[in-house]
Amino acid sequence: MREASFSNLRTFLDELHRDGELAIVEAPVAASLELAEIHRRVIAAGGPALVFTHVDGSPFPVATNLFGTAARAELAFGSRPERLIKRLVGLAETLLPPTLGKIWGARDLAFDALSVGMKSRPQGPVVDVVTTDVRLDRLPVLTTWPEDGGPFITLPLVYTKHPTTGVPNLGMYRLQIHDRRTTGMHWQIGKGGGFHYAVAEASHSALPVTVFLGGPPALVLSAVAPLPENVPELMLASLIAGERLATCPGPGEHELIAEAEIALIGWVSPNVRRPEGPFGDHYGYYSLRHDYPVFEVSHLAHRKGAIYPATVVGKPRQEDFFIGDLLQELLSPLFPLVMPAVTGLWSYGETGYHSLAAAIVKQRYKREAMASAFRILGEGQLSLTKFLIVLDREVDLKDFKAVLTHLLERTQPETDLFVFSNVSMDTLDYTGPAVNEGSKGVWLGVGDPVRDLPKAFHPGVEPPADARDPRVFCPGCLVVGAPRVADDPGAAARFAEHPAFRDWPLVVVTDDPARASASPINFLWTTFTRFEPGADVHAAAKRIVRNHVTLTPPIVIDARLKPGFPKELFADEATQALVTRRWNEYFPAGLEMGDAAKGHLD
């Protein structure tokens, strides 16, 4: 693998072209719906990165699917970050107490540190063209789903500084194009740029903002990394790139990333909001229409022949999945340093990451596992985790069937399952009673096995007549169809009390049991994106013991779609037909066409 990352988008594209990992689409395509559907079909087949050279209404080409396989994501960011993080962890474990020999042995890190940071130069390619005649409508901004509220910038690198401390933040927050000079600024809860804006707004001041498009791929990884609040993302980007990031003066208050393709310079005014959305998001549904701050663009700067980078989000697994998993692999050695009792941690991209995580912890005294659970749920972006599984024995956390089986063999739900209501939840998770509000669940599976799990459904009594198509997902977990919530909202609670299911520690009630049980990806997506612990966890019996709600198994999760829940994402029929008809025009040399409707779910 390449040691360091690439200095800009173009050097990365050149490498992909040499490796046969880039397809050039010269046929004219529309930025609205058509381009996104092409992208989805290519990624569904595990296909190459794409550059579209003729996008209707824009002079700029579009690059997508840059990180759409694990191999391309690894190539983009290089092996250097993993090597350095492992080296730092090893040093932290061995340097104390310090000796001259140990310090001398760590001198390589001192040399690496010298290459981390920023370097200013008089000018850079990003300011080849600078104009106040801002025409955002001439950028090839994609509309990706038929019910989207409009075109959205999907790979923006949003740079801000804290108004009083000057500490910078680089984040990725989608930007809906409102008109030729303004966009939305989707600052969800828990986002660094949003914290900066709150401080500025409290003093009735506008917050200067610069949005970069393209540049070193390391910027993308850094912008989405769950770093502590005051750790500058640009320092991580420099570390990944293996060199100081070049900056140059621009027309605004911020220095510009010299190798960026495009920069939008402006501000977000206080106390100004406009509706944004709907927008197809990475949970696989539409996020709904809500008010967000407004980014006013005063200047547009770009390279000559600038390339506009974009991505498409939707049902897993999409391009963001490969970036998210790579980040977890990269940062996993740090977990034991930050949380000493946590030896393993994995968030499941198939659920949108925040919906489900699993951890392996040290259980050195009774119930210590809960201390680790609280620590995880209080750590940065992990605090938005909706459901956390906690184990204390080694198991491959990426193998979800193994994780769930391990849990169900060991758990005593009466004392090991906790539901916390009236807490914050990820903005894009609509299972709660209101936006940003909901509940969390923690389920412990520690110690030795306490039960043998059933592997086939042979009930001793007749199941309920409306319990459809029961299927075993893994030992101990049964997936059962039920009437729609609108027709029978109490079906899940009724099933929990029925003796036909008493031997199963976990029953998932769903609208389509064949789909939900077809694969771990399907199970994770259809279950954890559709239930909220506070409202949708049922049991054979409930009672209060020492103010704890004791749940007697079977535990039943109601993962049916609830009335008012956002729609699942599907391309419109006209766009599907158009892309099918034109496929050979896009790829005259031939390229496999995947099934975008199913993606990786089947």
Side-chain angles (χ1 to χ4, degrees), residues 23-25 38 42 48 50 52 582-591:
I24 309 295
V25 179
I38 299 167
V42 171
L50 302 169
F52 298 84
R582 296 194 63 200
W583 193 257
N584 291 334
E585 293 180 51
Y586 310 138
F587 307 106
L591 191 70

Side-chain angles (χ1 to χ4, degrees), residues 138 181 259 320 356 386 457 537 595-596:
R138 296 189 73 234
R181 299 189 72 98
E259 293 291 335
D320 57 332
L356 176 67
K386 180 170 68 175
F457 185 54
V537 171
D595 187 338

Side-chain angles (χ1 to χ4, degrees), residues 314-369:
K315 287 178 286 192
R317 304 173 177 171
Q318 300 295 328
E319 193 173 358
D320 57 332
F321 176 92
F322 299 101
I323 298 174
D325 276 12
L326 180 68
L327 262 175
Q328 294 197 83
E329 295 277 10
L330 176 65
L331 299 176
S332 60
L334 295 175
F335 294 143
L337 284 183
V338 179
M339 301 175 283
V342 178
T343 61
L345 181 62
W346 192 255
S347 297
Y348 294 90
E350 297 89 345
T351 72
Y353 288 107
H354 290 320
S355 291
L356 176 67
I360 300 173
V361 305
K362 296 175 183 177
Q363 174 91 337
R364 296 163 295 191
Y365 57 85
K366 190 174 182 180
R367 313 306 284 178
E368 184 186 9

Side-chain angles (χ1 to χ4, degrees), residues 101-372:
K102 290 178 180 179
I103 293 172
W104 179 250
R107 64 190 183 279
D108 59 312
L109 286 177
F111 289 118
D112 280 323
L114 292 175
S115 65
V116 172
M118 318 301 290
K119 59 180 179 183
S120 183
R121 60 195 201 197
Q123 60 185 38
V126 71
V127 291
D128 285 348
V129 178
V130 179
T131 180
T132 58
D133 182 21
V134 178
R135 290 287 307 275
L136 298 179
D137 55 327
R138 296 189 73 234
L139 294 177
V141 184
L142 307 187
T143 301
T144 57
W145 297 101
E147 296 186 29
D148 280 359
F152 287 82
I153 299 176
T154 51
L155 276 183
L157 302 163
V158 181
Y159 182 77
T160 59
K161 288 186 177 182
H162 191 285
T164 55
T165 67
V167 173
N169 178 264
L170 188 73
M172 189 171 289
Y173 320 114
R174 71 179 183 226
L175 310 177
Q176 180 177 344
I177 303 296
H178 289 319
D179 53 48
R180 59 187 292 174
R181 299 189 72 98
T182 65
T183 79
M185 182 59 74
H186 192 90
W187 277 320
Q188 302 170 29
I189 59 171
K191 303 300 183 182
F195 293 148
H196 291 180
Y197 177 62
V199 174
E201 190 171 52
S203 64
H204 308 288
S205 301
L207 180 70
V209 174
T210 302
V211 174
F212 300 108
L213 300 171
L219 291 173
V220 173
L221 190 69
S222 303
V224 298
L227 298 178
E229 187 175 335
N230 291 320
V231 176
E233 288 81 5
L234 290 181
M235 300 300 285
L236 175 61
S238 174
L239 179 71
I240 294 169
E243 61 184 7
R244 292 179 177 270
L245 289 178
T247 62
C248 65
E253 296 193 23
H254 302 146
E255 288 258 308
L256 302 183
I257 301 297
E259 293 291 335
E261 295 290 319
I262 300 169
L264 309 178
I265 300 103
W267 59 84
V268 178
S269 296
N271 305 308
V272 177
R273 302 290 189 275
R274 285 183 63 175
E276 180 224 82
F279 180 78
D281 67 43
H282 66 280
Y283 278 84
Y285 313 95
Y286 285 99
S287 65
L288 302 181
R289 190 171 174 85
H290 302 287
D291 289 344
Y292 280 93
V294 176
F295 175 40
E296 302 171 55
V297 183
S298 62
H299 294 79
L300 186 150
H302 65 84
R303 303 174 69 127
K304 293 178 181 177
I307 302 169
Y308 176 86
T311 190
V312 178
V313 297
K315 287 178 286 192
R317 304 173 177 171
Q318 300 295 328
E319 193 173 358
D320 57 332
F321 176 92
F322 299 101
I323 298 174
D325 276 12
L326 180 68
L327 262 175
Q328 294 197 83
E329 295 277 10
L330 176 65
L331 299 176
S332 60
L334 295 175
F335 294 143
L337 284 183
V338 179
M339 301 175 283
V342 178
T343 61
L345 181 62
W346 192 255
S347 297
Y348 294 90
E350 297 89 345
T351 72
Y353 288 107
H354 290 320
S355 291
L356 176 67
I360 300 173
V361 305
K362 296 175 183 177
Q363 174 91 337
R364 296 163 295 191
Y365 57 85
K366 190 174 182 180
R367 313 306 284 178
E368 184 186 9
M370 276 305 293
S372 294

Side-chain angles (χ1 to χ4, degrees), residues 41 80 123 156 207 307 319 378 401 410 465 495 507 534 559 588 599:
R41 295 194 189 188
R80 175 185 168 86
Q123 60 185 38
L207 180 70
I307 302 169
E319 193 173 358
K401 280 192 175 184
R410 290 161 172 78
F495 287 7
V507 177

